[in-house]
Amino acid sequence: MTITQSSKQRQWLRRGAAAVALAAVLGAVAAPAALAAPASAGGAPASATARGTLISVTSLDTLGREQVAAELAALGIDTGTVRYGVTAHRLTYATVDPHGRPITATGLLVLPRGGPHRLDLVSDTHGTLATRDDAPSGGAGYNRLTPYLHASAGRAVAAPDYLGLGGGPGSHPYMDTRSSVTASVDMLKAARTAAGRLGRPVTRDVYATGFSQGGQVAMALGRELSRGRDGFRLRALAPMAGPYDLTGSEMPAIGDGRVAPVSAVFYLSYFLTAQNRLHPLYKDPAEVFRAPYAQAVEGLFDGSHREQDIVAALPATPQELLTPEWAENIRAPHGVLREVLEANDGACDWKPAAPVRLYTGAADTDVPIANTRACAADLARHGVRAKVVDQGPDADHFTTAVRSAPQAVRWFDSIR
């Protein structure tokens, strides 16, 4: 997600379905009974339900190849890899919350309308979202586009909504890496089951990609898959513009202005309020946020507010948002905040056996390029030479995604 973009970019990143008029969207149709497993009362699975158990499948979209290409081309995305139409399905599945307790989550499974009978699987993890229905399996819109891009090349795609977004209960634990990974692994398991029931079984091979928050999740997911506990084999990692280094890169960039102020306000408000539900950052919002924002800030991130409305309700700069004490804590994190940042860092601090490409842009003022350089340095310390693909001095956050996603598809095609 990015806040400071051109008009056309804002249409993609903020307005969702209103910006991207999908030409052949079917209404949400209940899945055949054979594809659904019973859910327990209240939407949460019983405690005995295994993680990754498929609870239900709902058909969403069917698009032809030309329709997929038209939707992508409207945003300036290279359509040279579009070979097939796609079908999209919402999955509801069992997973766990940040405390390890059973919960449900949702995600998007996209299958090509053609290609091999048995499909490799792409995990495509999305960027920052504050509005529940903007998740991939929510309302038809921009967060379905990269899953459609990858599926149209001939692979199955599992795009988790994460916890608390889409149809999942509760609040989204924004930037809680651990729960984003468990939700993503369990989405892969549910996708494997659903694809088989839909007549398109998947192989063990997983290609992991993601943008912004999803880039960081993709790297951490790759580490989890590399442990070999879930029956998958990591084939390649292609994260895009991820905040891999919160402590050493992202927070300093928020403090010194390399992150655009309006974006910094949005990210800080979302991060601090979400993390406070998990860790004792503050007892009263007024400790962190200045008046009048302290009274409203937590309610803005309840999943029902549109991003543009959240931005309009918050100040233009972090200095106007934060109390002096917390402005200093952001500049030089200490105490519980530092512990939280460090707990969610380290996504690149391991040794992948699969090849890695890190996509970034030199003009990114949401997730500065320093994050990618830090990730490459972490990998290098483990003897892994990741290729860094810099999309150029004009590549902001949005442009990096537009240029990188089709390049990742072509790279995946080249891996055998």
Side-chain angles (χ1 to χ4, degrees), residues 39-288:
S40 61
S47 59
T49 304
R51 283 182 45 192
T53 296
L54 178 66
I55 295 172
S56 66
V57 181
T58 302
S59 298
L60 297 176
D61 296 349
T62 299
L63 281 76
R65 183 182 65 81
E66 294 80 6
Q67 292 169 315
V68 174
E71 299 302 336
L72 296 170
L75 273 299
I77 299 174
D78 179 3
T79 62
T81 61
V82 176
R83 305 180 187 102
Y84 310 105
V86 301
T87 60
H89 314 267
R90 170 184 271 200
L91 307 188
T92 303
Y93 61 96
T95 187
V96 291
D97 71 8
H99 305 287
R101 299 175 299 215
I103 197 170
T104 58
T106 56
L108 187 73
L109 170 67
V110 189
L111 301 171
R113 298 175 66 192
H117 175 66
R118 191 170 179 84
L119 302 166
D120 291 341
L121 188 56
V122 172
S123 173
D124 186 4
T125 43
H126 66 75
T128 299
L129 296 175
T131 311
R132 176 181 295 276
D133 199 44
D134 283 346
S137 83
Y142 61 89
N143 271 310
R144 295 187 188 175
L145 292 183
T146 55
Y148 289 172
L149 175 69
H150 284 278
S152 69
R155 298 181 186 86
V157 182
D161 295 335
Y162 307 146
L163 299 182
L165 295 173
S171 301
H172 174 48
Y174 177 54
M175 290 300 296
D176 180 56
T177 306
R178 181 177 173 184
S179 64
S180 295
V181 169
T182 56
S184 298
V185 170
D186 294 343
M187 176 64 189
L188 289 170
K189 296 176 184 177
R192 177 170 56 193
T193 301
R197 294 181 185 178
L198 291 164
R200 302 302 300 276
V202 298
T203 71
R204 295 176 55 229
D205 291 344
V206 174
Y207 298 76
T209 188
F211 172 58
S212 195
Q213 178 191 0
Q216 188 249 22
V217 174
M219 282 301 304
L221 172 64
R223 178 174 53 193
E224 183 63 24
L225 294 179
S226 71
R227 292 167 177 157
R229 297 187 295 223
D230 301 296
F232 297 108
R233 179 175 66 167
L234 181 67
R235 290 303 309 274
L237 277 164
M240 303 178 290
Y244 316 105
D245 183 27
L246 295 174
T247 306
S249 298
E250 188 68 15
M251 278 296 178
I254 285 175
D256 66 19
R258 282 176 290 153
V259 173
V262 174
S263 294
V265 167
F266 185 95
Y267 293 142
L268 284 173
S269 301
Y270 199 0
F271 179 76
L272 294 173
T273 56
Q275 290 294 321
N276 192 60
R277 300 186 190 107
L278 305 176
H279 309 279
L281 288 173
Y282 59 83
K283 293 181 180 179
D284 187 325
E287 298 171 28
V288 179

